[in-house]
Amino acid sequence: MEISKYQGYKAIDFLKEDDFLRWNLFQLEEDNAYWTKVMAECPELKPLIEDAVELYKTQVRLNDYPLTSAQVEVYHDTFQHRVTQRRKRRTLTYWLSGAASVLLLLGIHQIYKPNANQEPGLLDFVHANSLSIDSDSKDIQLYVASDQLITIEEKEADIAYNTDSIQVTGKSLAEVNTTEYSQLVVPKGKRSRLTLSDGTTLHVNSGTKVVYPNRFTGDTREIYVNGEVFLDVTHNEKQPFIVRTSEIAVRVLGTKFNVQAYEEDAGTQVVLASGAVQITSNENAKKIDLTPSQIYDYKAGQVSVTRVDVERYISWVQGILYAEDERLDVLMTKLSRYYGEEILFDEGLVNQKCTGKVDLKNDLGEVLNGLTFSFPISVKQENGGYRVSTK
């Protein structure tokens, strides 16, 4: 490979090179020799390469290159050999972690392929590129356009779309020069703060997927949500903001509100903190306007609008979960989703209701054991999760 190709590179550009990523992942002798030669012959690249290595060591991975079948086989065999040689050493954990990164790296082009015949609309894109939230990945996944993936191991990531780049926890990791759609997938047990290109911010809860354009164009700003988000929408009368779910569409100019629309749940809720929103059901196109402190509840084709204490519905952003006359089994589902840990429970919990608040900053075991003082239940750790039984 011509070393001259690296002239003009920035540190972030090296993270897009398969040779650089393979070097950092496997530390093969031939790769060590190659990159030592690059830094020796081009000393001006040395600080950039060192910066790229440090960036690689962070919890962020940027993968956007393909590997041939032959390369996959060679790298896999090399990896297996090195693991065998180091099986008794403490560094085994590192190599197993590396294996997961390789699998993700190799799998991206299989699970995220754009449909060449799809319409450019948001919902068409969502239907053509359905990514499961309940995947095996425990990391936050940010799909930038059709061929670029950023995985984030942090528990709570801060993602921002600037004028020409995407920043993750303050570091610029990708350029944005396209109006294609991005997909942010936050698994159970993780959360994220997302700032869109127009300045709108979203607090994204566990087990949530958000689809949005890298750049807003046209007469509206539209995003898609499967899960729960709290939004602070930047005001723009000329370009209304629309949040779409599988059941409804929420239209706003600029406001703060919470949307809970997990597709696996029975209903969809919108709680308005400030401003005004207009909600349209996908089933009958009926429009309903909300005023602050109102909740829109859509379930099985039926709609209700009532006044509520907004804080109880948006406190999850601050790590507090309120329950008011809520079934205990529903609370268990919310806790399992938030912590990313399995909770098995008896059907008897359906008949018990609870009111109070849960400090989500505490360990899940502490939270569940605390409930045993108020309810006739027992808690036991089981197979890496928890089992809650009625007494």
Side-chain angles (χ1 to χ4, degrees):
M1 181 179 293
E2 294 290 337
I3 294 178
S4 59
K5 68 167 288 186
Y6 302 124
Q7 296 298 328
Y9 265 41
K10 299 177 182 178
I12 191 66
D13 294 324
F14 287 100
L15 292 176
K16 303 176 184 179
E17 287 289 336
D18 58 341
D19 297 292
F20 177 86
L21 292 172
R22 186 184 65 240
W23 171 45
N24 280 270
L25 182 60
F26 294 108
Q27 293 294 309
L28 301 177
E29 292 182 5
E30 57 268 32
D31 288 332
N32 288 332
Y34 173 78
W35 287 98
T36 298
K37 178 182 178 182
V38 171
M39 289 185 283
E41 296 186 4
C42 303
E44 70 278 8
L45 293 178
K46 184 177 180 181
L48 298 176
I49 294 174
E50 291 175 343
D51 287 344
V53 170
E54 289 302 312
L55 189 57
Y56 178 90
K57 291 178 181 177
T58 67
Q59 295 178 319
V60 180
R61 298 289 185 269
L62 177 61
N63 306 326
D64 71 343
Y65 68 89
L67 294 180
T68 66
S69 299
Q71 286 176 310
V72 171
E73 184 175 352
V74 170
Y75 297 162
H76 180 268
D77 291 344
T78 302
F79 167 77
Q80 291 286 62
H81 174 71
R82 295 189 69 116
V83 169
T84 302
Q85 295 298 316
R86 297 170 177 262
R87 189 170 300 278
K88 295 185 180 181
R89 296 176 56 179
R90 295 179 61 185
T91 52
L92 177 61
T93 301
Y94 169 82
W95 292 108
L96 293 178
S97 175
S101 297
V102 171
L103 292 176
L104 181 62
L105 180 85
L106 303 179
I108 175 61
H109 292 279
Q110 299 300 319
I111 65 176
Y112 187 70
K113 293 182 178 179
N115 185 344
N117 298 317
Q118 73 180 50
E119 297 294 329
L122 173 65
L123 293 182
D124 294 307
F125 178 87
V126 170
H127 295 150
N129 297 274
S130 180
L131 294 173
S132 174
I133 297 173
D134 295 320
S135 66
D136 293 332
S137 176
K138 300 300 183 182
D139 299 328
I140 296 172
Q141 301 172 73
L142 175 60
Y143 295 85
V144 183
S146 60
D147 61 351
Q148 205 168 6
L149 167 65
I150 299 174
T151 64
I152 308 167
E153 297 177 359
E154 296 175 14
K155 189 171 185 178
E156 298 190 9
D158 194 340
I159 303 168
Y161 281 66
N162 296 328
T163 303
D164 58 359
S165 66
I166 301 173
Q167 290 195 338
V168 178
T169 315
K171 295 181 179 180
S172 181
L173 294 181
E175 295 182 353
V176 180
N177 53 11
T178 175
T179 57
E180 289 186 73
Y181 290 104
S182 287
Q183 298 191 68
L184 174 63
V185 181
V186 179
K188 295 177 181 179
K190 301 289 182 74
R191 283 154 294 284
S192 180
R193 183 177 185 272
L194 171 65
T195 302
L196 302 177
S197 61
D198 68 334
T200 293
T201 59
L202 289 78
H203 291 272
V204 186
N205 207 349
S206 306
T208 297
K209 177 175 70 175
V210 184
V211 183
Y212 51 92
N214 292 328
R215 289 283 178 267
F216 289 110
T217 60
D219 298 330
T220 60
R221 297 168 288 166
E222 296 188 34
I223 70 171
Y224 177 86
V225 173
N226 172 11
E228 183 169 24
V229 296
F230 176 74
L231 302 95
D232 186 349
V233 178
T234 300
H235 184 81
N236 186 343
E237 291 185 358
K238 297 180 179 180
Q239 200 178 29
F241 196 98
I242 299 175
V243 178
R244 297 191 180 278
T245 76
S246 61
E247 301 285 355
I248 64 172
V250 186
R251 183 184 181 95
V252 303
L253 295 177
T255 186
K256 296 180 181 181
F257 62 105
N258 195 81
V259 176
Q260 186 181 92
Y262 290 101
E263 291 183 356
E264 67 268 25
D265 288 356
T268 297
Q269 293 180 337
V270 178
V271 178
L272 182 60
S274 65
V277 301
Q278 185 179 80
I279 304 172
T280 305
S281 165
N282 294 344
E283 182 176 339
N284 55 31
K286 182 180 179 181
K287 295 180 173 60
I288 293 180
D289 296 322
L290 286 193
T291 58
S293 299
Q294 285 187 324
I295 181 173
Y296 171 98
D297 201 331
Y298 181 91
K299 185 178 298 184
Q302 300 299 313
V303 174
S304 66
V305 177
T306 56
R307 296 192 67 81
V308 294
D309 179 358
V310 174
E311 182 62 27
R312 292 179 177 271
Y313 290 85
I314 66 174
S315 59
W316 63 266
V317 175
Q318 306 299 327
I320 299 293
L321 178 61
Y322 279 93
E324 185 170 0
D325 199 30
E326 188 164 55
R327 283 180 9 208
L328 207 53
D329 64 312
V330 174
L331 177 62
M332 294 300 160
T333 299
K334 290 182 178 180
L335 291 175
S336 175
R337 181 182 288 150
Y338 189 91
Y339 284 96
E341 298 186 48
E342 184 178 37
I343 302 177
L344 303 176
F345 49 83
D346 296 344
E347 292 184 1
L349 269 65
V350 175
N351 301 319
Q352 301 185 53
K353 293 188 175 182
C354 58
T355 296
K357 68 178 182 179
V358 177
D359 188 344
L360 298 172
K361 302 180 190 69
N362 293 332
D363 177 81
L364 177 58
E366 295 179 28
V367 172
L368 294 176
N369 287 321
L371 293 173
T372 62
F373 294 100
S374 303
F375 298 92
I377 60 175
S378 61
V379 177
K380 182 175 66 174
Q381 283 191 287
E382 183 178 284
N383 298 326
Y386 293 87
R387 174 170 289 280
V388 180
S389 307
T390 54
K391 292 183 178 179

